[in-house]
Structure formats: C-alpha cells, structure tokens
Amino acid sequence: MATEIASNFIPRKQLAKELGERLRGRPYSEFTLMAWERDGKGPPVTRVGRDVVYSIPSVQKWLEAQESAGQDNSRAA
C-alpha cells in the first residue's frame, strides 16, 4: 500500500489556478497569492526550500474564515 507523503499539499501555481477558476471563472495569478501572503491576507503557506505549498485543510479553513454574516447597511442610523 503506497501513500504519497505530500498528498495534502498543493503548489502555489496550482492553488492559484484552482481558486481563481472556482471563485471567479478565471485563474488567479501566482502573484496574487504572493501579495496575499505578504499582506497577511491569504492562506497559510509551507516553505520547503524555495518551494511554497499550501496545506489543503488549511486552505479550506482559510476559505471558511472568509465568510461573513453580511450586514444590512440600509438600516444604518
């Protein structure tokens, strides 16, 4: 029974493509994820040498954390 050690991780380029296509219909640039990382807005990263990968469960948690309850601004006092 063979298992892949890094099966729960996704490279930056692939994550940019998959997130973008699912969320907005076209891929994000890798530079978007790099900017989010720099600004502390994106999913947590794991660095392996020069390579950056993302834990799939961490990306899912990050996406869930992006949810907001939505506020009704029409009732602002």
Side-chain angles (χ1 to χ4, degrees):
M1 181 171 142
T3 60
E4 292 185 36
I5 293 173
S7 63
N8 283 334
F9 290 87
I10 185 170
R12 177 180 277 155
K13 185 174 190 171
Q14 186 178 350
L15 180 62
K17 179 181 178 188
E18 289 188 23
L19 267 181
E21 287 177 355
R22 288 204 175 263
L23 300 178
R24 65 182 195 156
R26 62 184 192 275
Y28 281 122
S29 164
E30 289 179 69
F31 294 109
T32 299
L33 291 177
M34 292 167 70
W36 288 351
E37 177 188 355
R38 180 192 65 227
D39 296 340
K41 296 179 181 179
V45 302
T46 301
R47 294 185 179 279
V48 182
R50 291 183 176 184
D51 297 318
V52 174
V53 294
Y54 297 82
S55 163
I56 294 170
S58 292
V59 171
Q60 290 170 332
K61 287 179 189 175
W62 173 78
L63 279 171
E64 290 168 1
Q66 303 310 300
E67 286 185 43
S68 64
Q71 299 176 1
D72 184 4
N73 292 328
S74 64
R75 293 185 182 187

